[in-house]
Amino acid sequence: MNGRGATETRRSWHLALFALLAASLLGSLVRGYHDALSARGNDLSIYLDAAQAVHQGESPFEVFGYLYLPVFAVFLAPLAWLPAWLAVGLWQVLSWAALLWSAKGCARLVGGRAASPWIGWFALLATWRLLDSNLSYGQANAFTLAAILASLEAALAGRATRAGIWVGWATAFKILPGILLLVYALQRRWRAFWVGLAAFAVLALLLPSIALGPKLALQTHQEWYAQVMHPFVEAGDALLEGRPNVSGQSLVALAYRNLTDTPLSGSDPSLRGNWVDWDPAKVQLGVRLLILLHGLGLLVVAWRLRAMQRDMALVPLAAWALCTVLLCAPVVHRAHMLWSMLGLVCLAVMVVRFPPSGLRKGLGSALGMSLAGIGLTTSGLIGHGTARWLLGHGVIGWSIEILWLALGVLCWVLPTGTADSVGLASRASAELANRAK
């Protein structure tokens, strides 16, 4: 077999692996579909009930469990016109497609259009546990990840207005993608920043006023702050009094469940896993210090990356910023953590392409620990009880913390020339710019 034939054969195998992983997620899609239509319901059931409330001119916060900005329910209001089986099916199929597009998008951003064919299936495999969770619960994170990646591609192609619109929409849909606005500001991509900020303001404020009327729209924003944000602003005992348990995988959740006498799971209030029983006020002080350190780390490294060509630095900085907001935001569940896909791909490509060195070994070890921590929470591998125990102790959160540290090191060494041979994002930026001409 000649060299070209061998290359085509390898590419076919890579495509087959991507297709296999994509097909395996269909089981999660179907499970989420059935749960959304069942009496028990899932997150998608809450979204659709909130959309129905908006359709009837009522506050989405009348729906128990609704946590997002009012505009999220407004976006989904057209689904209330459809039969439930069709609305759920449409959401699930589009979510699945967005996840596949995102895996390919990560490959394009990190390696360019001629990216190594393994990157696409690696992106799916590395985050399979998180993608499964997103589809099983009918979550919205697939759409926000796709919008984030579309914004980054537009920014690299010199289409600042489009980049801003995408990130503005994602931030209105689910507020945490707003971290990308900070990235654009740090890189002095002012047009993308201001367009994104304006798009968010118009969507988050104007659409609810049109759909619900100004008075009810104002009321729903007040309800959002009171029910979602205020307990975390107060924190300490006030947070524990307002919630049966501090759920999720963020630093806030990890600290409270491991350091205070709080339940590991909302479904079993008697289940505990804390190592010590510290005063919640002291724990919250420590959490705020950790969040401050993470934020300062992002700012310091972004300042250092000014020495690099701007497009070259955008992708790794954005990947690190996404991991930062996943750790620092108050409520971040494992399904949200699929935004770490870009960071995992960045780290994997660097490990593969770095010349042998101690740095490569260190980054490779961090990548392995992150992948193991995420994958080991899969119930089918280790059993439901063990997986729940690991999730309760925040294993996925700790895995993202390890990834955050590794990406921080990676971003720190980029301006020194250590990664010049890798050329992360340089090909992607050149090709996207050419495509835009």
Side-chain angles (χ1 to χ4, degrees), residues 51 77 87 98 116 124-125 133 158 186 221 227 244 255 261 297 307 323 325 332 339 355-356 363-364 380 414:
S116 300
L124 292 181
L125 181 62
S133 182
L186 291 171
H221 282 94
Q227 296 180 27
D261 185 24
C323 290
V325 78
V332 179
W339 294 352
L363 294 177
L414 281 175

Side-chain angles (χ1 to χ4, degrees), residues 36-91:
L37 295 175
S38 69
R40 178 183 178 185
N42 60 11
D43 288 348
L44 180 52
S45 306
I46 296 173
Y47 301 162
L48 294 178
D49 287 345
Q52 185 65 41
V54 169
H55 184 63
Q56 295 171 353
E58 300 172 354
S59 168
F61 291 96
E62 303 252 340
V63 177
F64 178 77
Y66 183 75
L67 300 174
Y68 301 112
L69 285 170
V71 70
F72 180 84
V74 174
F75 279 141
L76 271 59
L79 293 179
W81 301 336
L82 303 175
W85 64 268
L86 180 56
V88 172
L90 184 63
W91 177 275

Side-chain angles (χ1 to χ4, degrees), residues 350-351 353-365 413 418-419 421:
M350 296 301 257
V351 169
R353 297 181 182 174
F354 257 151
S357 63
L359 179 61
R360 179 183 180 180
K361 291 180 181 178
L363 294 177
S365 297
V413 303
T418 305
S421 61

Side-chain angles (χ1 to χ4, degrees), residues 75-412:
F75 279 141
L76 271 59
L79 293 179
W81 301 336
L82 303 175
W85 64 268
L86 180 56
V88 172
L90 184 63
W91 177 275
Q92 288 292 87
V93 170
L94 290 177
S95 183
W96 176 77
L99 292 174
L100 303 188
W101 186 92
S102 295
K104 291 293 188 180
C106 286
R108 288 192 302 272
L109 283 167
V110 177
R113 295 182 66 189
S116 300
W118 63 269
I119 301 178
W121 66 255
F122 172 82
L124 292 181
L125 181 62
T127 54
W128 193 95
R129 173 67 180 97
L130 310 175
L131 310 185
D132 164 72
S133 182
N134 185 84
L135 290 169
S136 297
Y137 286 96
Q139 265 278 356
N141 305 292
F143 302 111
T144 48
L145 176 60
I148 288 167
L149 299 177
S151 180
L152 290 171
E153 285 199 297
L156 287 173
R159 296 174 175 175
T161 300
R162 182 177 296 184
I165 291 172
W166 274 118
V167 72
W169 178 88
T171 305
F173 205 67
K174 207 163 191 177
I175 199 165
L176 298 186
I179 192 69
L180 195 55
L181 290 172
L182 175 61
V183 171
Y184 288 152
L186 291 171
Q187 283 216 318
R188 301 184 298 280
R189 298 176 185 268
W190 295 115
R191 185 177 182 83
F193 170 79
W194 288 115
V195 170
L197 196 61
F200 166 71
V202 168
L203 293 172
L205 300 177
L206 184 60
L207 283 187
S209 296
I210 294 173
L212 299 170
K215 184 177 179 180
L216 183 55
L218 177 60
Q219 175 190 322
T220 58
H221 282 94
Q222 292 171 337
E223 290 172 334
W224 174 77
Y225 180 81
Q227 296 180 27
V228 180
M229 294 303 299
H230 184 68
F232 288 95
V233 173
E234 289 290 313
D237 291 319
L239 175 60
L240 298 180
E241 288 171 4
R243 293 172 177 268
N245 79 305
V246 184
S247 58
Q249 298 291 312
S250 67
L251 291 173
V252 173
L254 268 57
Y256 275 93
R257 291 205 304 270
N258 284 282
L259 302 178
T260 66
D261 185 24
T262 56
L264 279 181
S265 168
S267 60
D268 186 359
S270 65
L271 187 63
R272 296 290 196 276
N274 53 299
W275 309 108
V276 293
D277 185 11
W278 290 354
D279 178 48
K282 292 182 179 178
V283 171
Q284 183 60 33
L285 181 62
V287 169
R288 286 174 174 165
L289 179 60
L290 282 174
I291 291 173
L292 178 62
L293 290 174
H294 281 71
L296 286 175
L298 177 63
L299 294 175
V300 168
V301 172
W303 181 265
R304 179 176 171 83
L305 286 174
R306 292 182 314 134
M308 284 187 65
Q309 194 267 340
R310 193 171 63 162
D311 285 351
M312 181 84 169
L314 176 60
V315 174
L317 180 60
W320 200 37
L322 288 173
C323 290
T324 302
V325 78
L326 288 174
L327 290 167
C328 295
V331 183
V332 179
H333 295 283
R334 62 182 180 271
H336 298 75
M337 294 292 188
L338 65 85
W339 294 352
S340 64
M341 179 188 288
L342 183 60
L344 290 166
V345 167
C346 280
L347 192 57
V349 169
M350 296 301 257
V351 169
V352 168
R353 297 181 182 174
F354 257 151
S357 63
L359 179 61
R360 179 183 180 180
K361 291 180 181 178
L363 294 177
S365 297
L367 177 63
M369 287 188 287
S370 295
L371 294 175
I374 294 170
L376 282 176
T377 61
T378 305
S379 300
L381 293 177
I382 58 175
H384 178 71
T386 305
R388 187 173 68 163
W389 186 86
L390 289 173
L391 284 170
H393 283 289
V395 169
I396 289 180
W398 294 120
S399 300
I400 302 303
E401 178 68 24
I402 293 170
L403 175 62
W404 184 88
L405 291 169
L407 288 172
V409 171
L410 177 60
C411 290
W412 185 262

